[in-house]
Amino acid sequence: MEATGEDNLVEYGFRRVIITITAVLCALLEIVDTTIVNVALNDMRGSLGATLTDVAWVITAYAIANVIVIPMTSWLSQQFGRRNYFAASIIIFTVSSFLCGNASNIWELVAFRFIQGMGGGALLVTAQTIITESYPAAKRGMAQAIYGMGVIVGPTLGPPLGGYLVDNFSWPYIFYINIPLGIIATVLTLSFVKSPKYGEKLKANQVDWWGIVFLSSFIGSLQFVLEHGQQDDWFADPIIVTLSVVSFFGLLLFIWRQLTYKYPIVNLRVLQDRNLRVGTIMCFILGFGLYGSTFIIPIYTQSILGWTATDAGLLLIPSSIMTGFMMPIIGRLIQKGVPQSYMVAAGFLLFFIFTFWMHNVITPDTGTEHMFWPLILRGVGLGLLFVPITTLALSTLKGKNIGEGAAFTGMMRQLGGSFGIAIITTFIARFTQSHRVDLIANLDGSKFEVQQRIQQLQMGFMSKGFSSSEALDKAHKAIEMSVMKQSTVLAYMDIFMYLGILFLICVPFVLLIKKGAGGKVDMSNVH
C-alpha cells in the first residue's frame, strides 16, 4: 500500500467511532447468522415438511458459500472498490435474509441461504480490514481486539437469541431481524467508509475464471463431504467418494493455476512466510476448538440433560463475556511487546485444562454450577488465542500481502470449524457404539443385581397398570435407554479428552515460532 493511501484511511474522533460500529455490526450480523439457525432447525423441519438431512442443508449451503467467498475478498475489493463491495455485500445479505424468511419450501430456503452466505463471507474479512485501516499503526492491536470481541461473542449470541425468537415468535423472524440492521449498516457504509486505491481493475478477459471454478469445486466439495460424511456413512456413499476426488483434484489444479497465471485470485506465494504458515495451522486448530466446543456443549445439554434451546444457549454466555473482557487487556499486552507465542501457548494450555475439566464433570445429570468455571476458563483461553494468533500469523508480512495472508487465516478458521464438527459428530456416533457394546457385556442376566433391577422396574410399571409382560418389556427398554445415555456420556467424555490432547500437543510448536521484527507488529492492512 502506498504511503499516500495509508494516511488518508486513518480516521479520528466521531467518524472512527461510527466506522468501528458499522464494521463490528456487519461482522456480528454474519457470525450470529451462522449459529442462530441451529436452534430453529426443528421448527423449520416441521413447517417446511423436510427431513433432518434436508434441513442440515440450511447450514451447509451458508457455510459452503462463505468459505468460497472468503479467499476471494481481497481480490474482489480491488475489483469493485472496497466501499462499493462492502455495501453491495450488506445489501445482498439483507435482501436474501428477507427472502429466507419468506421461503415456502426447504430448497428455496437453501438457495437463499447460499446467496446470503455469498454476501456474508465478505462482511467478515472486509470489516476486519476496514477497522484496522481506520486506526493509526500504534493502536492496531486494539483494533484487532475490538474486532475479535465481535467474532468470539457472535457465535454464542446466536443460539439464545434464536431460541428466544423461535419460542416467542416463529422461525422466519431469525432472518427478519437482519433487515433493519442491514439497512442501517448500508447507509452508514455509504456515508462513512472510504476505498483505498490498491491497483488497477482487471478486464473481464484477464479475470482468472478457471481459478474461481477450481477454488469453488475444491472448497465446495470439501465442505459438503465434511457436513454430510457421518450421516451418509463416509466412503461407503458414492457421492462422498466422487466429491472427495473432485475436491482433491480441485485443490491440485487450483494451486497449479494460481502459481502459473499472471493475475491470480489468491496469492499463494504469501505462504512462503514461515510465521503465516504456522499461523494458518494455528487458526485451523483454533477454529476446531472454538466451533467444536460451541457445537458439542449445546448438544450435550439438550440431548442428555434435556435443557431447552434458550437455556443451552445461555450457558455459553459467561464464557463469551469473559473472552470479551480479555480482548482489550490482550490488545494492551501486545502493544507493550509481550511475546505473542507465550500468550498463544498459555491459551492452548488453558484450553487443555478446560477440556480435561469438562471430561471430569460431565455425567447424565451435571448441573450448571459444575460447568460454570470450566467455561469461564474456556473464555480466558479463547481470548489468549484469538488476537495473538491473528497478529502472529501476519507479523512478518508487509504491505498488500497482509490482506492476502489474512484471507488465509480467515478461511482456515472456518474450515477448522467444519472439520471439527464433522470429526466430532463421527466420533460421537462411533464411540457411543463401542461404549454401548462394552456396557452391555457387563449386563449379565444371571447376575443378582441385574435381575433385581429389572424386577424393580417391572414392579414400578405394573403399579402404573401395565400387565406383567408389558411391564417386563418396558423394564428392558428402560435399561436399554439408560445404557444408551451412559454410553453417549462416555463418548462426550472421550471427545473432550482427545480435544484436550490436541491442544496440549500444540504448546511446544507455538514456542518454536520466530518473532516478528522487534516483537511489535505493524498491522497496517490486516484483514
mmCIF file with all atom_site columns, all heavy atoms in Angstrom, residues 55-80:
data_model
loop_
_atom_site.group_PDB
_atom_site.id
_atom_site.type_symbol
_atom_site.label_atom_id
_atom_site.label_alt_id
_atom_site.label_comp_id
_atom_site.label_asym_id
_atom_site.label_entity_id
_atom_site.label_seq_id
_atom_site.pdbx_PDB_ins_code
_atom_site.Cartn_x
_atom_site.Cartn_y
_atom_site.Cartn_z
_atom_site.occupancy
_atom_site.B_iso_or_equiv
_atom_site.pdbx_formal_charge
_atom_site.auth_seq_id
_atom_site.auth_comp_id
_atom_site.auth_asym_id
_atom_site.auth_atom_id
_atom_site.pdbx_PDB_model_num
ATOM 1   N N   . VAL A 1 55 ? -32.839 -30.460 6.140   1.00 0.00 ? 55 VAL A N   1
ATOM 2   C CA  . VAL A 1 55 ? -32.719 -29.236 6.924   1.00 0.00 ? 55 VAL A CA  1
ATOM 3   C C   . VAL A 1 55 ? -31.258 -28.893 7.196   1.00 0.00 ? 55 VAL A C   1
ATOM 4   O O   . VAL A 1 55 ? -30.882 -27.727 7.238   1.00 0.00 ? 55 VAL A O   1
ATOM 5   C CB  . VAL A 1 55 ? -33.536 -29.374 8.220   1.00 0.00 ? 55 VAL A CB  1
ATOM 6   C CG1 . VAL A 1 55 ? -33.001 -28.465 9.287   1.00 0.00 ? 55 VAL A CG1 1
ATOM 7   C CG2 . VAL A 1 55 ? -34.973 -29.021 7.943   1.00 0.00 ? 55 VAL A CG2 1
ATOM 8   N N   . ALA A 1 56 ? -30.418 -29.931 7.322   1.00 0.00 ? 56 ALA A N   1
ATOM 9   C CA  . ALA A 1 56 ? -28.994 -29.674 7.558   1.00 0.00 ? 56 ALA A CA  1
ATOM 10  C C   . ALA A 1 56 ? -28.411 -28.816 6.424   1.00 0.00 ? 56 ALA A C   1
ATOM 11  O O   . ALA A 1 56 ? -27.437 -28.092 6.618   1.00 0.00 ? 56 ALA A O   1
ATOM 12  C CB  . ALA A 1 56 ? -28.242 -30.986 7.658   1.00 0.00 ? 56 ALA A CB  1
ATOM 13  N N   . TRP A 1 57 ? -29.019 -28.882 5.243   1.00 0.00 ? 57 TRP A N   1
ATOM 14  C CA  . TRP A 1 57 ? -28.548 -28.085 4.102   1.00 0.00 ? 57 TRP A CA  1
ATOM 15  C C   . TRP A 1 57 ? -28.652 -26.588 4.358   1.00 0.00 ? 57 TRP A C   1
ATOM 16  O O   . TRP A 1 57 ? -27.950 -25.806 3.733   1.00 0.00 ? 57 TRP A O   1
ATOM 17  C CB  . TRP A 1 57 ? -29.339 -28.454 2.849   1.00 0.00 ? 57 TRP A CB  1
ATOM 18  C CG  . TRP A 1 57 ? -28.675 -29.559 2.122   1.00 0.00 ? 57 TRP A CG  1
ATOM 19  C CD1 . TRP A 1 57 ? -29.022 -30.873 2.113   1.00 0.00 ? 57 TRP A CD1 1
ATOM 20  C CD2 . TRP A 1 57 ? -27.504 -29.444 1.314   1.00 0.00 ? 57 TRP A CD2 1
ATOM 21  N NE1 . TRP A 1 57 ? -28.131 -31.584 1.351   1.00 0.00 ? 57 TRP A NE1 1
ATOM 22  C CE2 . TRP A 1 57 ? -27.199 -30.741 0.850   1.00 0.00 ? 57 TRP A CE2 1
ATOM 23  C CE3 . TRP A 1 57 ? -26.676 -28.378 0.957   1.00 0.00 ? 57 TRP A CE3 1
ATOM 24  C CZ2 . TRP A 1 57 ? -26.096 -30.985 0.036   1.00 0.00 ? 57 TRP A CZ2 1
ATOM 25  C CZ3 . TRP A 1 57 ? -25.587 -28.631 0.140   1.00 0.00 ? 57 TRP A CZ3 1
ATOM 26  C CH2 . TRP A 1 57 ? -25.311 -29.925 -0.315  1.00 0.00 ? 57 TRP A CH2 1
ATOM 27  N N   . VAL A 1 58 ? -29.567 -26.188 5.260   1.00 0.00 ? 58 VAL A N   1
ATOM 28  C CA  . VAL A 1 58 ? -29.698 -24.761 5.563   1.00 0.00 ? 58 VAL A CA  1
ATOM 29  C C   . VAL A 1 58 ? -28.379 -24.246 6.128   1.00 0.00 ? 58 VAL A C   1
ATOM 30  O O   . VAL A 1 58 ? -27.951 -23.123 5.842   1.00 0.00 ? 58 VAL A O   1
ATOM 31  C CB  . VAL A 1 58 ? -30.853 -24.547 6.564   1.00 0.00 ? 58 VAL A CB  1
ATOM 32  C CG1 . VAL A 1 58 ? -30.941 -23.096 6.987   1.00 0.00 ? 58 VAL A CG1 1
ATOM 33  C CG2 . VAL A 1 58 ? -32.165 -25.000 5.944   1.00 0.00 ? 58 VAL A CG2 1
ATOM 34  N N   . ILE A 1 59 ? -27.710 -25.103 6.927   1.00 0.00 ? 59 ILE A N   1
ATOM 35  C CA  . ILE A 1 59 ? -26.407 -24.726 7.485   1.00 0.00 ? 59 ILE A CA  1
ATOM 36  C C   . ILE A 1 59 ? -25.313 -24.933 6.441   1.00 0.00 ? 59 ILE A C   1
ATOM 37  O O   . ILE A 1 59 ? -24.452 -24.081 6.241   1.00 0.00 ? 59 ILE A O   1
ATOM 38  C CB  . ILE A 1 59 ? -26.107 -25.580 8.732   1.00 0.00 ? 59 ILE A CB  1
ATOM 39  C CG1 . ILE A 1 59 ? -27.147 -25.291 9.807   1.00 0.00 ? 59 ILE A CG1 1
ATOM 40  C CG2 . ILE A 1 59 ? -24.711 -25.296 9.254   1.00 0.00 ? 59 ILE A CG2 1
ATOM 41  C CD1 . ILE A 1 59 ? -27.004 -26.113 11.044  1.00 0.00 ? 59 ILE A CD1 1
ATOM 42  N N   . THR A 1 60 ? -25.371 -26.085 5.746   1.00 0.00 ? 60 THR A N   1
ATOM 43  C CA  . THR A 1 60 ? -24.315 -26.434 4.785   1.00 0.00 ? 60 THR A CA  1
ATOM 44  C C   . THR A 1 60 ? -24.188 -25.386 3.680   1.00 0.00 ? 60 THR A C   1
ATOM 45  O O   . THR A 1 60 ? -23.090 -24.945 3.355   1.00 0.00 ? 60 THR A O   1
ATOM 46  C CB  . THR A 1 60 ? -24.609 -27.800 4.138   1.00 0.00 ? 60 THR A CB  1
ATOM 47  O OG1 . THR A 1 60 ? -24.932 -28.734 5.157   1.00 0.00 ? 60 THR A OG1 1
ATOM 48  C CG2 . THR A 1 60 ? -23.409 -28.303 3.374   1.00 0.00 ? 60 THR A CG2 1
ATOM 49  N N   . ALA A 1 61 ? -25.320 -24.985 3.107   1.00 0.00 ? 61 ALA A N   1
ATOM 50  C CA  . ALA A 1 61 ? -25.305 -24.057 1.966   1.00 0.00 ? 61 ALA A CA  1
ATOM 51  C C   . ALA A 1 61 ? -24.612 -22.756 2.355   1.00 0.00 ? 61 ALA A C   1
ATOM 52  O O   . ALA A 1 61 ? -23.768 -22.230 1.621   1.00 0.00 ? 61 ALA A O   1
ATOM 53  C CB  . ALA A 1 61 ? -26.731 -23.773 1.503   1.00 0.00 ? 61 ALA A CB  1
ATOM 54  N N   . TYR A 1 62 ? -24.956 -22.251 3.532   1.00 0.00 ? 62 TYR A N   1
ATOM 55  C CA  . TYR A 1 62 ? -24.394 -20.994 4.010   1.00 0.00 ? 62 TYR A CA  1
ATOM 56  C C   . TYR A 1 62 ? -22.886 -21.137 4.208   1.00 0.00 ? 62 TYR A C   1
ATOM 57  O O   . TYR A 1 62 ? -22.101 -20.280 3.788   1.00 0.00 ? 62 TYR A O   1
ATOM 58  C CB  . TYR A 1 62 ? -25.079 -20.631 5.327   1.00 0.00 ? 62 TYR A CB  1
ATOM 59  C CG  . TYR A 1 62 ? -24.736 -19.287 5.882   1.00 0.00 ? 62 TYR A CG  1
ATOM 60  C CD1 . TYR A 1 62 ? -25.316 -18.142 5.347   1.00 0.00 ? 62 TYR A CD1 1
ATOM 61  C CD2 . TYR A 1 62 ? -23.877 -19.155 6.954   1.00 0.00 ? 62 TYR A CD2 1
ATOM 62  C CE1 . TYR A 1 62 ? -25.024 -16.899 5.878   1.00 0.00 ? 62 TYR A CE1 1
ATOM 63  C CE2 . TYR A 1 62 ? -23.589 -17.920 7.479   1.00 0.00 ? 62 TYR A CE2 1
ATOM 64  C CZ  . TYR A 1 62 ? -24.158 -16.787 6.944   1.00 0.00 ? 62 TYR A CZ  1
ATOM 65  O OH  . TYR A 1 62 ? -23.871 -15.559 7.462   1.00 0.00 ? 62 TYR A OH  1
ATOM 66  N N   . ALA A 1 63 ? -22.482 -22.275 4.813   1.00 0.00 ? 63 ALA A N   1
ATOM 67  C CA  . ALA A 1 63 ? -21.061 -22.494 5.090   1.00 0.00 ? 63 ALA A CA  1
ATOM 68  C C   . ALA A 1 63 ? -20.263 -22.605 3.792   1.00 0.00 ? 63 ALA A C   1
ATOM 69  O O   . ALA A 1 63 ? -19.162 -22.052 3.674   1.00 0.00 ? 63 ALA A O   1
ATOM 70  C CB  . ALA A 1 63 ? -20.884 -23.751 5.925   1.00 0.00 ? 63 ALA A CB  1
ATOM 71  N N   . ILE A 1 64 ? -20.812 -23.328 2.804   1.00 0.00 ? 64 ILE A N   1
ATOM 72  C CA  . ILE A 1 64 ? -20.093 -23.504 1.536   1.00 0.00 ? 64 ILE A CA  1
ATOM 73  C C   . ILE A 1 64 ? -19.890 -22.150 0.855   1.00 0.00 ? 64 ILE A C   1
ATOM 74  O O   . ILE A 1 64 ? -18.777 -21.809 0.445   1.00 0.00 ? 64 ILE A O   1
ATOM 75  C CB  . ILE A 1 64 ? -20.852 -24.478 0.599   1.00 0.00 ? 64 ILE A CB  1
ATOM 76  C CG1 . ILE A 1 64 ? -20.772 -25.908 1.158   1.00 0.00 ? 64 ILE A CG1 1
ATOM 77  C CG2 . ILE A 1 64 ? -20.275 -24.448 -0.811  1.00 0.00 ? 64 ILE A CG2 1
ATOM 78  C CD1 . ILE A 1 64 ? -21.517 -26.951 0.339   1.00 0.00 ? 64 ILE A CD1 1
ATOM 79  N N   . ALA A 1 65 ? -20.961 -21.357 0.791   1.00 0.00 ? 65 ALA A N   1
ATOM 80  C CA  . ALA A 1 65 ? -20.857 -20.046 0.135   1.00 0.00 ? 65 ALA A CA  1
ATOM 81  C C   . ALA A 1 65 ? -19.826 -19.177 0.850   1.00 0.00 ? 65 ALA A C   1
ATOM 82  O O   . ALA A 1 65 ? -18.996 -18.512 0.221   1.00 0.00 ? 65 ALA A O   1
ATOM 83  C CB  . ALA A 1 65 ? -22.220 -19.365 0.129   1.00 0.00 ? 65 ALA A CB  1
ATOM 84  N N   . ASN A 1 66 ? -19.882 -19.185 2.185   1.00 0.00 ? 66 ASN A N   1
ATOM 85  C CA  . ASN A 1 66 ? -18.935 -18.413 2.992   1.00 0.00 ? 66 ASN A CA  1
ATOM 86  C C   . ASN A 1 66 ? -17.500 -18.746 2.666   1.00 0.00 ? 66 ASN A C   1
ATOM 87  O O   . ASN A 1 66 ? -16.670 -17.872 2.423   1.00 0.00 ? 66 ASN A O   1
ATOM 88  C CB  . ASN A 1 66 ? -19.132 -18.807 4.454   1.00 0.00 ? 66 ASN A CB  1
ATOM 89  C CG  . ASN A 1 66 ? -19.792 -17.710 5.249   1.00 0.00 ? 66 ASN A CG  1
ATOM 90  O OD1 . ASN A 1 66 ? -19.492 -17.520 6.395   1.00 0.00 ? 66 ASN A OD1 1
ATOM 91  N ND2 . ASN A 1 66 ? -20.682 -16.983 4.625   1.00 0.00 ? 66 ASN A ND2 1
ATOM 92  N N   . VAL A 1 67 ? -17.205 -20.054 2.679   1.00 0.00 ? 67 VAL A N   1
ATOM 93  C CA  . VAL A 1 67 ? -15.829 -20.491 2.518   1.00 0.00 ? 67 VAL A CA  1
ATOM 94  C C   . VAL A 1 67 ? -15.324 -20.235 1.105   1.00 0.00 ? 67 VAL A C   1
ATOM 95  O O   . VAL A 1 67 ? -14.137 -20.023 0.895   1.00 0.00 ? 67 VAL A O   1
ATOM 96  C CB  . VAL A 1 67 ? -15.735 -21.981 2.910   1.00 0.00 ? 67 VAL A CB  1
ATOM 97  C CG1 . VAL A 1 67 ? -14.433 -22.568 2.498   1.00 0.00 ? 67 VAL A CG1 1
ATOM 98  C CG2 . VAL A 1 67 ? -15.867 -22.116 4.411   1.00 0.00 ? 67 VAL A CG2 1
ATOM 99  N N   . ILE A 1 68 ? -16.231 -20.226 0.113   1.00 0.00 ? 68 ILE A N   1
ATOM 100 C CA  . ILE A 1 68 ? -15.793 -19.934 -1.255  1.00 0.00 ? 68 ILE A CA  1
ATOM 101 C C   . ILE A 1 68 ? -15.448 -18.447 -1.392  1.00 0.00 ? 68 ILE A C   1
ATOM 102 O O   . ILE A 1 68 ? -14.460 -18.076 -2.016  1.00 0.00 ? 68 ILE A O   1
ATOM 103 C CB  . ILE A 1 68 ? -16.883 -20.335 -2.279  1.00 0.00 ? 68 ILE A CB  1
ATOM 104 C CG1 . ILE A 1 68 ? -17.011 -21.855 -2.335  1.00 0.00 ? 68 ILE A CG1 1
ATOM 105 C CG2 . ILE A 1 68 ? -16.553 -19.788 -3.668  1.00 0.00 ? 68 ILE A CG2 1
ATOM 106 C CD1 . ILE A 1 68 ? -18.145 -22.358 -3.206  1.00 0.00 ? 68 ILE A CD1 1
ATOM 107 N N   . VAL A 1 69 ? -16.281 -17.588 -0.768  1.00 0.00 ? 69 VAL A N   1
ATOM 108 C CA  . VAL A 1 69 ? -16.081 -16.145 -0.949  1.00 0.00 ? 69 VAL A CA  1
ATOM 109 C C   . VAL A 1 69 ? -14.872 -15.623 -0.169  1.00 0.00 ? 69 VAL A C   1
ATOM 110 O O   . VAL A 1 69 ? -14.134 -14.778 -0.661  1.00 0.00 ? 69 VAL A O   1
ATOM 111 C CB  . VAL A 1 69 ? -17.358 -15.381 -0.545  1.00 0.00 ? 69 VAL A CB  1
ATOM 112 C CG1 . VAL A 1 69 ? -17.084 -13.898 -0.445  1.00 0.00 ? 69 VAL A CG1 1
ATOM 113 C CG2 . VAL A 1 69 ? -18.439 -15.630 -1.571  1.00 0.00 ? 69 VAL A CG2 1
ATOM 114 N N   . ILE A 1 70 ? -14.641 -16.152 1.043   1.00 0.00 ? 70 ILE A N   1
ATOM 115 C CA  . ILE A 1 70 ? -13.600 -15.567 1.903   1.00 0.00 ? 70 ILE A CA  1
ATOM 116 C C   . ILE A 1 70 ? -12.228 -15.418 1.223   1.00 0.00 ? 70 ILE A C   1
ATOM 117 O O   . ILE A 1 70 ? -11.642 -14.347 1.274   1.00 0.00 ? 70 ILE A O   1
ATOM 118 C CB  . ILE A 1 70 ? -13.499 -16.324 3.251   1.00 0.00 ? 70 ILE A CB  1
ATOM 119 C CG1 . ILE A 1 70 ? -14.715 -15.990 4.108   1.00 0.00 ? 70 ILE A CG1 1
ATOM 120 C CG2 . ILE A 1 70 ? -12.225 -15.975 4.003   1.00 0.00 ? 70 ILE A CG2 1
ATOM 121 C CD1 . ILE A 1 70 ? -14.778 -16.701 5.436   1.00 0.00 ? 70 ILE A CD1 1
ATOM 122 N N   . PRO A 1 71 ? -11.696 -16.473 0.546   1.00 0.00 ? 71 PRO A N   1
ATOM 123 C CA  . PRO A 1 71 ? -10.370 -16.278 -0.052  1.00 0.00 ? 71 PRO A CA  1
ATOM 124 C C   . PRO A 1 71 ? -10.365 -15.238 -1.178  1.00 0.00 ? 71 PRO A C   1
ATOM 125 O O   . PRO A 1 71 ? -9.325  -14.685 -1.503  1.00 0.00 ? 71 PRO A O   1
ATOM 126 C CB  . PRO A 1 71 ? -10.004 -17.659 -0.629  1.00 0.00 ? 71 PRO A CB  1
ATOM 127 C CG  . PRO A 1 71 ? -11.047 -18.597 -0.188  1.00 0.00 ? 71 PRO A CG  1
ATOM 128 C CD  . PRO A 1 71 ? -12.194 -17.835 0.364   1.00 0.00 ? 71 PRO A CD  1
ATOM 129 N N   . MET A 1 72 ? -11.540 -14.973 -1.757  1.00 0.00 ? 72 MET A N   1
ATOM 130 C CA  . MET A 1 72 ? -11.568 -14.048 -2.907  1.00 0.00 ? 72 MET A CA  1
ATOM 131 C C   . MET A 1 72 ? -11.817 -12.601 -2.504  1.00 0.00 ? 72 MET A C   1
ATOM 132 O O   . MET A 1 72 ? -11.761 -11.709 -3.339  1.00 0.00 ? 72 MET A O   1
ATOM 133 C CB  . MET A 1 72 ? -12.655 -14.490 -3.904  1.00 0.00 ? 72 MET A CB  1
ATOM 134 C CG  . MET A 1 72 ? -12.322 -15.837 -4.512  1.00 0.00 ? 72 MET A CG  1
ATOM 135 S SD  . MET A 1 72 ? -13.579 -16.625 -5.528  1.00 0.00 ? 72 MET A SD  1
ATOM 136 C CE  . MET A 1 72 ? -14.710 -15.394 -5.953  1.00 0.00 ? 72 MET A CE  1
ATOM 137 N N   . THR A 1 73 ? -12.061 -12.340 -1.186  1.00 0.00 ? 73 THR A N   1
ATOM 138 C CA  . THR A 1 73 ? -12.467 -10.982 -0.804  1.00 0.00 ? 73 THR A CA  1
ATOM 139 C C   . THR A 1 73 ? -11.430 -9.934  -1.142  1.00 0.00 ? 73 THR A C   1
ATOM 140 O O   . THR A 1 73 ? -11.767 -8.862  -1.625  1.00 0.00 ? 73 THR A O   1
ATOM 141 C CB  . THR A 1 73 ? -12.736 -10.888 0.707   1.00 0.00 ? 73 THR A CB  1
ATOM 142 O OG1 . THR A 1 73 ? -11.743 -11.644 1.367   1.00 0.00 ? 73 THR A OG1 1
ATOM 143 C CG2 . THR A 1 73 ? -14.092 -11.405 1.053   1.00 0.00 ? 73 THR A CG2 1
ATOM 144 N N   . SER A 1 74 ? -10.144 -10.267 -0.893  1.00 0.00 ? 74 SER A N   1
ATOM 145 C CA  . SER A 1 74 ? -9.092  -9.279  -1.116  1.00 0.00 ? 74 SER A CA  1
ATOM 146 C C   . SER A 1 74 ? -9.120  -8.826  -2.580  1.00 0.00 ? 74 SER A C   1
ATOM 147 O O   . SER A 1 74 ? -9.029  -7.637  -2.901  1.00 0.00 ? 74 SER A O   1
ATOM 148 C CB  . SER A 1 74 ? -7.761  -9.944  -0.773  1.00 0.00 ? 74 SER A CB  1
ATOM 149 O OG  . SER A 1 74 ? -6.700  -9.103  -1.040  1.00 0.00 ? 74 SER A OG  1
ATOM 150 N N   . TRP A 1 75 ? -9.300  -9.814  -3.465  1.00 0.00 ? 75 TRP A N   1
ATOM 151 C CA  . TRP A 1 75 ? -9.313  -9.538  -4.905  1.00 0.00 ? 75 TRP A CA  1
ATOM 152 C C   . TRP A 1 75 ? -10.593 -8.792  -5.318  1.00 0.00 ? 75 TRP A C   1
ATOM 153 O O   . TRP A 1 75 ? -10.551 -7.852  -6.111  1.00 0.00 ? 75 TRP A O   1
ATOM 154 C CB  . TRP A 1 75 ? -9.197  -10.881 -5.628  1.00 0.00 ? 75 TRP A CB  1
ATOM 155 C CG  . TRP A 1 75 ? -9.353  -10.831 -7.105  1.00 0.00 ? 75 TRP A CG  1
ATOM 156 C CD1 . TRP A 1 75 ? -8.411  -10.450 -8.008  1.00 0.00 ? 75 TRP A CD1 1
ATOM 157 C CD2 . TRP A 1 75 ? -10.521 -11.173 -7.860  1.00 0.00 ? 75 TRP A CD2 1
ATOM 158 N NE1 . TRP A 1 75 ? -8.916  -10.554 -9.280  1.00 0.00 ? 75 TRP A NE1 1
ATOM 159 C CE2 . TRP A 1 75 ? -10.210 -10.985 -9.214  1.00 0.00 ? 75 TRP A CE2 1
ATOM 160 C CE3 . TRP A 1 75 ? -11.795 -11.630 -7.516  1.00 0.00 ? 75 TRP A CE3 1
ATOM 161 C CZ2 . TRP A 1 75 ? -11.129 -11.230 -10.234 1.00 0.00 ? 75 TRP A CZ2 1
ATOM 162 C CZ3 . TRP A 1 75 ? -12.707 -11.876 -8.517  1.00 0.00 ? 75 TRP A CZ3 1
ATOM 163 C CH2 . TRP A 1 75 ? -12.375 -11.675 -9.864  1.00 0.00 ? 75 TRP A CH2 1
ATOM 164 N N   . LEU A 1 76 ? -11.730 -9.194  -4.760  1.00 0.00 ? 76 LEU A N   1
ATOM 165 C CA  . LEU A 1 76 ? -12.997 -8.540  -5.122  1.00 0.00 ? 76 LEU A CA  1
ATOM 166 C C   . LEU A 1 76 ? -13.024 -7.081  -4.669  1.00 0.00 ? 76 LEU A C   1
ATOM 167 O O   . LEU A 1 76 ? -13.567 -6.222  -5.366  1.00 0.00 ? 76 LEU A O   1
ATOM 168 C CB  . LEU A 1 76 ? -14.182 -9.307  -4.514  1.00 0.00 ? 76 LEU A CB  1
ATOM 169 C CG  . LEU A 1 76 ? -14.526 -10.635 -5.191  1.00 0.00 ? 76 LEU A CG  1
ATOM 170 C CD1 . LEU A 1 76 ? -15.441 -11.475 -4.309  1.00 0.00 ? 76 LEU A CD1 1
ATOM 171 C CD2 . LEU A 1 76 ? -15.186 -10.414 -6.543  1.00 0.00 ? 76 LEU A CD2 1
ATOM 172 N N   . SER A 1 77 ? -12.415 -6.796  -3.497  1.00 0.00 ? 77 SER A N   1
ATOM 173 C CA  . SER A 1 77 ? -12.382 -5.405  -3.028  1.00 0.00 ? 77 SER A CA  1
ATOM 174 C C   . SER A 1 77 ? -11.600 -4.541  -4.001  1.00 0.00 ? 77 SER A C   1
ATOM 175 O O   . SER A 1 77 ? -11.941 -3.384  -4.233  1.00 0.00 ? 77 SER A O   1
ATOM 176 C CB  . SER A 1 77 ? -11.698 -5.284  -1.668  1.00 0.00 ? 77 SER A CB  1
ATOM 177 O OG  . SER A 1 77 ? -12.390 -6.010  -0.719  1.00 0.00 ? 77 SER A OG  1
ATOM 178 N N   . GLN A 1 78 ? -10.529 -5.108  -4.561  1.00 0.00 ? 78 GLN A N   1
ATOM 179 C CA  . GLN A 1 78 ? -9.739  -4.342  -5.532  1.00 0.00 ? 78 GLN A CA  1
ATOM 180 C C   . GLN A 1 78 ? -10.535 -4.115  -6.796  1.00 0.00 ? 78 GLN A C   1
ATOM 181 O O   . GLN A 1 78 ? -10.467 -3.064  -7.417  1.00 0.00 ? 78 GLN A O   1
ATOM 182 C CB  . GLN A 1 78 ? -8.491  -5.126  -5.911  1.00 0.00 ? 78 GLN A CB  1
ATOM 183 C CG  . GLN A 1 78 ? -7.357  -4.915  -4.968  1.00 0.00 ? 78 GLN A CG  1
ATOM 184 C CD  . GLN A 1 78 ? -6.168  -5.739  -5.395  1.00 0.00 ? 78 GLN A CD  1
ATOM 185 O OE1 . GLN A 1 78 ? -5.798  -5.752  -6.565  1.00 0.00 ? 78 GLN A OE1 1
ATOM 186 N NE2 . GLN A 1 78 ? -5.575  -6.436  -4.457  1.00 0.00 ? 78 GLN A NE2 1
ATOM 187 N N   . GLN A 1 79 ? -11.284 -5.137  -7.198  1.00 0.00 ? 79 GLN A N   1
ATOM 188 C CA  . GLN A 1 79 ? -12.027 -5.094  -8.444  1.00 0.00 ? 79 GLN A CA  1
ATOM 189 C C   . GLN A 1 79 ? -13.097 -4.002  -8.414  1.00 0.00 ? 79 GLN A C   1
ATOM 190 O O   . GLN A 1 79 ? -13.242 -3.243  -9.348  1.00 0.00 ? 79 GLN A O   1
ATOM 191 C CB  . GLN A 1 79 ? -12.703 -6.446  -8.627  1.00 0.00 ? 79 GLN A CB  1
ATOM 192 C CG  . GLN A 1 79 ? -12.578 -7.256  -9.852  1.00 0.00 ? 79 GLN A CG  1
ATOM 193 C CD  . GLN A 1 79 ? -11.612 -6.856  -10.932 1.00 0.00 ? 79 GLN A CD  1
ATOM 194 O OE1 . GLN A 1 79 ? -10.534 -6.345  -10.723 1.00 0.00 ? 79 GLN A OE1 1
ATOM 195 N NE2 . GLN A 1 79 ? -12.009 -7.095  -12.135 1.00 0.00 ? 79 GLN A NE2 1
ATOM 196 N N   . PHE A 1 80 ? -13.865 -3.939  -7.331  1.00 0.00 ? 80 PHE A N   1
ATOM 197 C CA  . PHE A 1 80 ? -15.040 -3.056  -7.323  1.00 0.00 ? 80 PHE A CA  1
ATOM 198 C C   . PHE A 1 80 ? -14.870 -1.858  -6.407  1.00 0.00 ? 80 PHE A C   1
ATOM 199 O O   . PHE A 1 80 ? -15.770 -1.038  -6.305  1.00 0.00 ? 80 PHE A O   1
ATOM 200 C CB  . PHE A 1 80 ? -16.284 -3.842  -6.870  1.00 0.00 ? 80 PHE A CB  1
ATOM 201 C CG  . PHE A 1 80 ? -16.588 -5.004  -7.745  1.00 0.00 ? 80 PHE A CG  1
ATOM 202 C CD1 . PHE A 1 80 ? -16.392 -6.302  -7.292  1.00 0.00 ? 80 PHE A CD1 1
ATOM 203 C CD2 . PHE A 1 80 ? -17.048 -4.824  -9.053  1.00 0.00 ? 80 PHE A CD2 1
ATOM 204 C CE1 . PHE A 1 80 ? -16.661 -7.388  -8.108  1.00 0.00 ? 80 PHE A CE1 1
ATOM 205 C CE2 . PHE A 1 80 ? -17.315 -5.906  -9.868  1.00 0.00 ? 80 PHE A CE2 1
ATOM 206 C CZ  . PHE A 1 80 ? -17.117 -7.191  -9.401  1.00 0.00 ? 80 PHE A CZ  1
#
